[in-house]
Amino acid sequence: MKKKTKATILASVASVLLVGVALLRKLRRRRRQLPRAPYVNHAAEREEYINSVLHGTERHCVNQLRMKPIAFHHLCHILTEGEHVRPTIHMSVTEQVFIFLHIIGHNVRFRVMSSRIYRSTETVHRYFKVILRGVLKLYRALIRLRSEDTPPKIKNSRRFYPYFKDCVGAIDGTHVRASVPPEIQGKFRGHKDGTTQNVLAAISFDLKFTYVLAGWEGSAYDSRVLNDAFTRPRGFSIPNEFNDRPPENEQELFNLRHSSLRTTIERGFGVLKKCFRVLDAEPFWSFPTQVKVVLACCVIHNHIMGVEPNDQIMEDAMNQVESSDHQQETQSHRESVEDSRSWNAKRDEICQAMWSNYTRSGE
């Protein structure tokens, strides 16, 4: 009986093994029949994508990188010539700059960019930091006062000259969205919703930034930020029409003409944020990097204006800014009290001279 039971068990095991072998053979046959995924040459695909942008239409390049090919190649040249950025065995300077510009222009995440160019997220992040450091090294060369001479916009206008002959540009602050740890978010909550950093900038009448100070908390008053700019070793220094109704006194005339000059800074900020979407979106990197990105965007803006001042995206952005309604923020009582008496005296002097000439000649 025992021998019979043992034989039965062995027969059962043998049949199970035979069934298993048959199943394995069947699965192998099916595996051979499944089509394999096509081989993708990542290097070739990456090169084709970059070339399609840089050697396609100018408009396509501007849409992707926020500048024309001539400005792109010139940027690569000055970064390489100054040894601010070097090619590596893994990536050319062209690709490094391409990645950086696409990210800040469209607020693209590192992982999204990595899938587009077949690179790892870590690689994209690393070279983004490389180009960011390189661009910031161009700050002193590209963001500075061009001349202390009276700008043509003022010198060639009877409305502005000689009253504003010492004016070389406009200065103001703007808020850029910021992402900070919860324990310090209170300091970064200013006039706008959410957390922001307060960015002070001066801009010339040809829409080039001449000074930028970023990183202040959104709750900081503009006057505090300005005082900080004055006290820094390499800080900021100053070389000494709303309706159809005509102005009725010297104060109205001054305000009318002064505001038309001041809109320069508003247009500058508007164009900057239209071109670089990263400045108007929730940041996804550390706060020190957020501050550097603001400065880098201003540097690249000046680079574009220097190489291609009539760049289509700049023109489109300017038109959008000019057609939109600008909402001015009112000064707090504390800020208004901080206006210097010397400026008030200077303003009154200009008002009187301007009004005297206006009532005499009508200009």
Side-chain angles (χ1 to χ4, degrees):
M1 184 69 181
K2 289 183 179 179
K3 290 182 179 180
K4 187 176 181 180
T5 303
K6 188 175 182 180
T8 303
I9 294 172
L10 289 173
S12 300
V13 170
S15 62
V16 169
L17 289 174
L18 288 173
V19 171
V21 171
L23 286 173
L24 284 173
R25 288 176 178 173
K26 191 175 182 180
L27 287 173
R28 285 175 181 173
R29 285 197 299 271
R30 286 185 178 180
R31 210 175 277 172
R32 292 194 197 102
Q33 295 171 358
L34 290 174
R36 291 186 177 181
Y39 172 75
V40 177
N41 187 330
H42 291 170
E45 290 286 330
R46 179 168 53 246
E47 185 177 358
E48 182 180 355
Y49 171 58
I50 293 175
N51 287 337
S52 69
V53 175
L54 295 178
H55 302 293
T57 64
E58 286 189 342
R59 185 67 190 185
H60 181 54
C61 185
V62 169
N63 288 339
Q64 296 299 315
L65 305 180
R66 324 315 277 170
M67 64 178 69
K68 291 181 180 179
I70 185 174
F72 175 86
H73 291 300
H74 186 62
L75 178 60
C76 293
H77 172 72
I78 60 177
L79 286 172
T80 306
E81 187 180 44
E83 297 186 348
H84 305 313
V85 178
R86 293 184 176 90
T88 68
I89 59 174
H90 302 291
M91 191 180 294
S92 66
V93 171
T94 296
E95 186 181 347
Q96 295 176 44
V97 176
F98 185 99
I99 290 172
F100 180 81
L101 292 178
H102 194 84
I103 289 174
I104 66 171
H106 300 276
N107 191 41
V108 175
R109 303 271 175 163
F110 294 140
R111 63 176 179 271
V112 175
M113 193 67 204
S114 67
S115 65
R116 290 183 181 177
I117 59 169
Y118 300 101
R119 297 284 192 184
S120 70
T121 302
E122 188 277 332
T123 298
V124 171
H125 186 192
R126 176 162 24 100
Y127 284 104
F128 177 87
K129 289 294 187 68
V130 168
I131 298 300
L132 178 59
R133 288 194 297 268
V135 169
L136 291 179
K137 290 177 181 178
L138 302 177
Y139 180 95
R140 292 182 184 176
L142 294 178
I143 298 186
R144 57 187 175 82
L145 285 174
R146 300 298 185 271
S147 171
E148 294 185 7
D149 297 334
T150 303
K153 180 181 177 67
I154 294 177
K155 193 171 185 178
N156 299 331
S157 173
R158 293 183 178 179
R159 297 175 62 238
F160 303 137
Y161 190 83
Y163 321 110
F164 298 105
K165 60 183 176 64
D166 296 325
C167 181
V168 294
I171 185 170
D172 201 356
T174 189
H175 288 262
V176 175
R177 294 182 68 178
S179 178
V180 294
E183 59 269 20
I184 62 173
Q185 285 183 358
K187 296 180 180 179
F188 286 83
R189 295 189 184 278
H191 303 295
K192 297 179 180 286
D193 295 332
T195 52
T196 63
Q197 58 167 304
N198 194 344
V199 179
L200 175 75
I203 194 168
S204 59
F205 295 113
D206 57 355
L207 289 188
K208 291 181 180 178
F209 288 93
T210 57
Y211 181 80
V212 184
L213 175 62
W216 268 87
E217 305 95 327
S219 61
Y221 291 116
D222 289 346
S223 57
R224 284 189 61 199
V225 183
L226 180 60
N227 288 335
D228 179 45
F230 283 134
T231 57
R232 289 175 177 253
R234 292 183 176 271
F236 181 66
S237 61
I238 301 177
N240 241 359
E241 287 118 294
F242 298 108
N243 52 45
D244 295 332
R245 180 178 62 82
E248 296 182 354
N249 53 54
E250 60 267 29
Q251 286 79 19
E252 287 189 6
L253 179 63
F254 176 87
N255 291 337
L256 178 66
R257 295 183 178 178
H258 178 262
S259 64
S260 66
L261 289 176
R262 190 179 177 278
T263 56
T264 300
I265 189 68
E266 298 163 5
R267 291 174 62 211
F269 284 140
V271 169
L272 190 72
K273 292 181 180 180
K274 292 286 183 183
C275 290
F276 305 109
R277 295 295 182 180
V278 72
L279 298 180
D280 208 21
E282 188 69 26
F284 55 89
W285 35 52
S286 66
F287 184 70
T289 301
Q290 296 170 45
V291 175
K292 293 176 183 177
V293 166
V294 172
L295 300 176
C297 288
C298 294
V299 170
I300 294 175
H301 167 91
N302 277 17
H303 167 74
I304 297 172
M305 296 299 289
V307 177
E308 281 286 327
N310 297 320
D311 190 285
Q312 187 61 49
I313 194 169
M314 290 295 183
E315 292 183 2
D316 292 346
M318 288 179 195
N319 292 335
Q320 292 179 33
V321 171
E322 289 173 355
S323 62
S324 63
D325 294 329
H326 177 73
Q327 297 179 351
Q328 292 189 350
E329 296 179 3
T330 57
Q331 275 192 319
S332 68
H333 176 68
R334 179 178 174 181
E335 286 180 291
S336 62
V337 169
E338 292 175 355
D339 284 342
S340 66
R341 294 181 179 179
S342 59
W343 165 239
N344 289 337
K346 179 68 174 177
R347 180 185 57 197
D348 292 342
E349 180 184 341
I350 294 174
C351 284
Q352 293 172 5
M354 188 184 293
W355 182 252
S356 176
N357 289 337
Y358 176 78
T359 54
R360 185 175 61 253
S361 63
E363 294 181 339

